[in-house]
């Protein structure tokens, strides 16, 4: 009985196509079978990046706004104002906005204020989405100090930018998708872009404000020194947490460059400007590339 | 916050990126020798970062006294030549040399509290444990050293930090600000660390009455105390020694009578209650 089954097995083996190599490999190394990704300058298994990032933001949430002001010397406010004035929410009537990785509500508040002040628009609504509950709590707290608290104009939702549940975020719903200083923390940028494409209406705008590569070498040197010397120390001094801020500055270096990111955006199905910087281009550098705005329109 | 064990690479604070403009971000990455961590937890700093942290931690320690890590950082960034001098002092005495060789650490796993509590009353070990209970502190709250480059000097700094409670117990002083400052003056006079002197700036946080008492009674006392360098004392080998005799040997005079928040008897009762509660919690955890 065993002999016959052995012969059968051997016969089956021989019927393999000639070109196929005999698989004499050793059992697969467990570490190589899990894919890895970067977490700052470290290499980590892909599944754990999300929880590592969550750890970082849980830890920085309560001092996030203070730290932003300290690290950028207040300049992040200028960048965000610039971002909003480029988008002009409310200029074509009330819109539905989704602000992803919007935790503490900086962008959401600016959108609503802009629509209200420039266009007397009180119908534009913003859904603030973040994977981290602590950050959303901070955002909710901040909004309680404004006139938008408890109105249909703002809603806070906890979700993963790479996989937003369809029941809460149906396809083709939003006119504007914004993500400010958040996309470099997602494990798979492509998935986040795919989701962005899904939830936007055709003709809707994708807008991303993110730290990016500085092209000017002199500015680059100064920026590097500042990032790696001062920022982790500010984290140590103000927040008692060096590692989170070390991660933040490292993650900036790991993010794809401006043309590369523009390519990813257009591959996700967005129409972007030309492959250059500035008006009409796919991206606009702010402060020499320290921050950058990428925009695209869903086709 | 809890992150998985951080590899040494991740602790680098310097690097040079020779990045190609097309965005292949890490074609070539080098790291200067100075930035490799010399021991776990080491964060190498250049002169600018050191100065920045010194200034920042000084400000933060004064603004928020609960930031023990900032006081620690201030001590490390301002230590300068004082640490090598302390090491010299340790190398000059046999006891100090034994400490440098053994590198004993002081925390609740290296110090057997129960054994010390059983020592005769009046012995240094007993005094220490009683003092810990009375103040409601444990030896586990000391921040590890991060910013000293030489591992041996980092140990000297760690030892200094961990022995602070021994000075408290030896002198019989509680943990309130005014007695901490009195001890800082004693430490500065005895050991010469600049941060001990800088810490006295916290006197601005005291009420005028306490400040007056500090200046008029405690500072003269601290300055009159003996010159035997306290860093050379191998405290762990002196648990059985009588406290008064130890004080005489080291030249520590009796301090002015401190005002304790808790009388001795009450502190003992509170400690016993805490121990009981802990036992019950442990038993519950085991049974679940």
């Amino acid at each position: 009985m065993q002999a016959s089954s052995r012969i059968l097995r051997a016969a089956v083996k021989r019927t393999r196509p000639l070109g196929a190599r005999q698989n004499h490999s050793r059992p697969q190394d467990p570490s190589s079978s899990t894919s890895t990704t970067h977490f700052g300058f470290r290499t980590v298994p892909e599944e754990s990046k999300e929880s590592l990032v969550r750890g970082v933001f849980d830890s920085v949430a309560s001092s996030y706004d203070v730290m932003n002001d300290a690290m950028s010397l207040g300049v992040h406010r200028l960048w965000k104002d610039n971002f909003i004035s480029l988008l002009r929410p409310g200029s074509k009537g009330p819109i539905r906005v989704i602000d992803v990785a919007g935790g503490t509500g900086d962008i959401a508040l600016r959108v609503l204020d802009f629509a209200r002040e420039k266009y007397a628009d009180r119908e534009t609504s913003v859904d603030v989405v973040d994977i981290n509950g602590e950050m959303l709590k901070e955002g909710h707290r901040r909004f309680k100090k404004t006139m938008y608290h408890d109105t249909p104009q703002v809603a806070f939702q906890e979700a993963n930018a790479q996989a937003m549940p369809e029941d809460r975020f149906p396809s083709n719903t939003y006119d504007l998708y914004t993500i400010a200083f958040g996309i470099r923390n997602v494990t798979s940028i492509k998935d986040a872009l795919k989701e962005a494409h899904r939830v936007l209406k055709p003709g809707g705008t994708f807008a991303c404000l993110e730290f990016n590569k500085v092209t000017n070498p002199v500015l680059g040197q100064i920026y590097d020194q500042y990032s790696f010397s001062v920022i982790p120390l500010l984290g140590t001094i103000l927040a008692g947490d060096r590692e989170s801020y070390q991660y933040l500055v490292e993650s900036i270096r790991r993010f794809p460059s401006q043309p590369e990111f523009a390519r990813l955006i257009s591959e996700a199905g967005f129409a972007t400007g030309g492959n250059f910087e500035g008006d009409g281009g796919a991206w606009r550098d702010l402060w020499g590339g320290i921050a950058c705005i990428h925009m695209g329109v869903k086709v | 916050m809890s992150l998985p064990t951080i590899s040494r690479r991740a602790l680098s604070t310097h690097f040079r990126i020779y990045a190609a403009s097309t965005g292949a971000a890490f074609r070539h990455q080098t790291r200067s020798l100075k930035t490799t961590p010399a021991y776990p937890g080491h964060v190498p700093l250049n002169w600018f970062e050191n100065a920045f942290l010194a200034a920042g931690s000084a400000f933060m320690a004064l603004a928020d006294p609960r930031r023990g890590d900032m006081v620690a950082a201030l001590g490390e960034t301002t230590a300068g030549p004082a640490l090598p001098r302390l090491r010299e002092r340790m190398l000059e005495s046999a006891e100090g040399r034994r400490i440098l060789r053994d590198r004993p650490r002081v925390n609740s796993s290296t110090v057997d509290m129960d054994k010390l509590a059983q020592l005769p009353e009046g012995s240094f070990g007993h005094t220490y444990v009683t003092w810990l209970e009375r103040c409601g502190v444990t030896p586990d709250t000391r921040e590890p050293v991060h910013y000293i480059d030489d591992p041996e000097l980092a140990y000297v700094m760690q030892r200094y930090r961990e022995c602070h409670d021994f000075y408290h117990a030896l002198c019989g002083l509680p943990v309130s600000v005014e007695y901490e400052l009195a001890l800082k003056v004693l430490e500065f006079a005895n050991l010469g660390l600049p941060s001990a002197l800088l810490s006295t700036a916290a006197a601005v946080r005291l009420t005028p009455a306490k400040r007056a008492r500090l200046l008029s009674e405690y500072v003269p006392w601290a300055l009159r105390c003996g010159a035997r360098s306290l860093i050379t004392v191998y405290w762990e080998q002196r648990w059985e020694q009588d406290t008064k005799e130890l004080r005489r040997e080291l030249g520590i005079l009796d301090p002015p009578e401190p005002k304790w928040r808790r009388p001795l008897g009450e502190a003992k009762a509170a400690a016993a209650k805490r121990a009981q509660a802990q036992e019950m919690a442990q038993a519950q955890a085991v049974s679940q």
Side-chain angles (χ1 to χ4, degrees):
Chain A
M1 168 78 179
Q2 273 188 332
S4 57
S5 63
R6 238 187 296 139
I7 293 167
L8 199 59
R9 257 180 282 142
V12 168
K13 262 201 190 146
R14 246 179 270 124
T15 57
R16 263 218 233 140
L18 283 169
R21 259 209 302 213
Q22 288 285 359
N23 195 359
H24 294 295
S25 63
R26 39 191 155 68
Q28 218 180 4
D29 196 3
S31 58
S32 65
S33 60
T34 58
S35 49
T36 57
T37 181
H38 52 81
F39 178 71
F41 291 155
R42 293 163 55 196
T43 308
V44 297
E46 219 174 86
E47 315 84 61
S48 57
K49 173 157 179 175
E50 207 177 280
S51 56
L52 289 173
V53 173
R54 176 171 308 134
V56 167
F57 283 94
D58 272 344
S59 151
V60 306
S62 53
S63 52
Y64 189 70
D65 294 322
V66 169
M67 282 300 304
N68 279 346
D69 273 332
M71 291 193 292
S72 66
L73 304 172
V75 178
H76 72 107
R77 296 166 188 244
L78 296 178
W79 292 332
K80 287 169 182 165
D81 289 340
N82 198 331
F83 187 52
I84 294 299
S85 59
L86 228 99
L87 294 173
R88 309 175 62 73
S91 57
K92 300 198 183 80
I95 50 170
R96 290 200 60 185
V97 183
I98 179 169
D99 180 29
V100 177
T104 55
D106 265 354
I107 297 293
L109 190 54
R110 280 175 167 82
V111 165
L112 293 173
D113 279 344
F114 189 93
R116 175 177 58 83
E117 286 170 6
K118 294 271 191 312
Y119 304 105
D121 171 358
R122 297 304 299 270
E123 287 78 40
T124 289
S125 70
V126 182
D127 284 346
V128 179
V129 176
D130 201 299
I131 195 175
N132 189 297
E134 292 298 313
M135 294 290 281
L136 280 175
K137 254 203 285 203
E138 283 299 317
H140 193 250
R141 258 191 76 241
R142 140 109 53 90
F143 263 84
K144 266 177 139 179
K145 300 181 191 169
T146 68
M147 68 184 82
Y148 307 109
H149 173 63
D150 245 2
T151 67
Q153 283 194 276
V154 69
F156 292 89
Q157 305 240 36
E158 194 168 322
N160 184 339
Q162 296 170 194
M164 298 196 281
E166 291 211 26
D167 51 336
R168 284 193 284 148
F169 303 98
S171 312
N172 304 311
T173 344
Y174 295 100
D175 301 285
L176 174 62
Y177 178 110
T178 58
I179 182 165
F181 301 120
I183 201 160
R184 75 180 187 282
N185 296 307
V186 307
T187 310
S188 162
I189 296 178
K190 291 199 177 132
D191 286 340
L193 291 174
K194 235 186 334 163
E195 280 296 285
H197 193 264
R198 180 181 71 77
V199 300
L200 276 173
K201 288 186 195 150
T205 307
F206 167 85
C208 169
L209 172 64
E210 189 53 82
F211 289 112
N212 227 309
K213 304 261 181 287
V214 174
T215 39
N216 182 322
V218 174
L219 180 63
Q221 276 284 30
I222 302 174
Y223 179 52
D224 277 349
Q225 284 288 14
Y226 180 74
S227 294
F228 284 90
S229 288
V230 176
I231 290 185
L233 284 181
L234 279 178
T236 314
I237 294 170
L238 294 174
D241 183 356
R242 185 191 178 85
E243 290 136 17
S244 297
Y245 291 91
Q246 187 76 31
Y247 161 72
L248 290 177
V249 299
E250 288 177 358
S251 65
I252 294 175
R253 297 316 183 280
R254 284 299 212 169
F255 193 68
S257 66
Q258 282 91 320
E260 175 71 22
F261 188 49
R263 192 181 57 80
L264 288 173
I265 293 175
S266 69
E267 277 172 12
F270 294 98
T272 63
N275 196 25
F276 53 88
E277 191 270 328
D279 287 328
W283 70 92
R284 283 155 216 274
D285 278 340
L286 301 174
W287 285 52
I290 296 180
C292 182
I293 301 176
H294 282 80
M295 296 213 295
V297 176
K298 170 170 173 172
V299 289
Chain B
M1 71 174 264
S2 58
L3 276 179
T5 325
I6 297 183
S7 69
R8 285 175 166 217
R9 284 178 64 80
L11 290 175
S12 69
T13 53
H14 267 317
F15 68 100
R16 283 196 208 297
I17 303 177
Y18 298 96
S21 56
T22 53
F26 297 104
R27 287 267 191 82
H28 183 41
Q29 202 173 325
T30 63
R31 185 209 244 149
S32 58
L33 255 166
K34 253 182 28 152
T35 68
T36 327
Y39 51 86
H42 181 210
V43 178
L45 298 178
N46 60 32
W47 67 268
F48 168 73
E49 292 164 351
N50 201 57
F52 187 88
L53 186 58
S57 60
F59 171 73
M60 205 60 187
L62 199 54
D64 186 359
R66 286 168 305 169
R67 294 287 304 274
D69 58 328
M70 285 291 100
V71 179
L74 180 63
E76 290 167 33
T77 49
T78 56
L83 278 179
R85 244 185 287 137
L86 282 180
R87 180 176 50 191
E88 290 305 306
R89 204 56 52 77
M90 290 173 86
L91 289 172
E92 281 164 13
S93 92
E95 207 177 343
R97 285 196 293 272
R98 281 205 301 277
I99 302 174
L100 281 178
R101 185 195 62 203
D102 297 342
R103 295 210 185 173
R105 295 294 299 268
V106 181
N107 50 50
S108 42
S109 46
T110 58
V111 174
D112 189 347
M113 301 292 175
D114 299 318
K115 201 179 81 159
L116 294 184
Q118 284 160 17
L119 288 173
E121 184 133 1
S123 64
F124 178 61
H126 186 91
T127 312
Y128 175 58
V129 171
T130 318
W131 178 85
L132 281 176
E133 283 173 2
R134 198 170 180 187
C135 296
V137 296
T138 70
D140 285 328
T141 49
R142 298 293 161 190
E143 177 83 8
V145 171
H146 295 299
Y147 308 112
I148 307 284
D149 292 332
D150 182 339
E152 189 170 54
L153 293 180
Y155 172 72
V156 174
M157 189 75 201
Q158 190 77 57
R159 179 77 185 160
Y160 155 71
R161 216 174 270 165
E162 289 174 353
C163 290
H164 181 77
D165 282 349
F166 292 140
Y167 309 156
H168 267 287
L170 188 66
C171 302
L173 292 174
V175 283
S176 322
V177 182
E178 62 263 39
Y179 307 113
E180 293 284 355
L181 293 183
L183 273 177
K184 283 292 170 192
V185 177
L186 175 66
E187 282 178 4
F188 180 65
N190 192 292
L191 303 167
L193 281 161
S195 63
L197 184 62
L198 290 171
S199 312
T200 55
V204 298
R205 298 187 142 264
L206 288 174
T207 62
K210 286 190 181 158
R211 204 168 30 236
R213 187 158 189 238
L214 175 68
L215 285 172
S216 62
E217 293 181 35
Y218 283 96
V219 171
W221 161 77
L223 295 176
R224 274 203 305 267
C225 285
R228 159 88 191 262
S229 186
L230 290 169
I231 196 82
T232 61
V233 180
Y234 203 149
W235 304 95
E236 291 90 335
Q237 290 180 347
R238 291 169 179 267
W239 294 131
E240 287 88 19
Q241 191 173 359
D242 181 56
T243 311
K244 287 204 173 50
E245 193 207 306
L246 184 55
R247 267 199 240 171
R248 245 198 323 268
E249 183 187 333
L250 299 174
I252 305 287
L253 309 165
D254 290 342
E257 194 58 37
K259 293 201 186 75
W260 288 87
R261 287 237 191 94
R262 271 188 186 159
L264 198 55
E266 195 200 294
K268 280 200 196 289
K273 240 197 295 183
R274 245 180 291 138
Q276 227 184 15
Q278 219 180 10
E279 268 176 41
M280 281 177 47
Q282 274 176 359
Q284 265 187 354
V286 164
S287 65
Q288 273 170 8

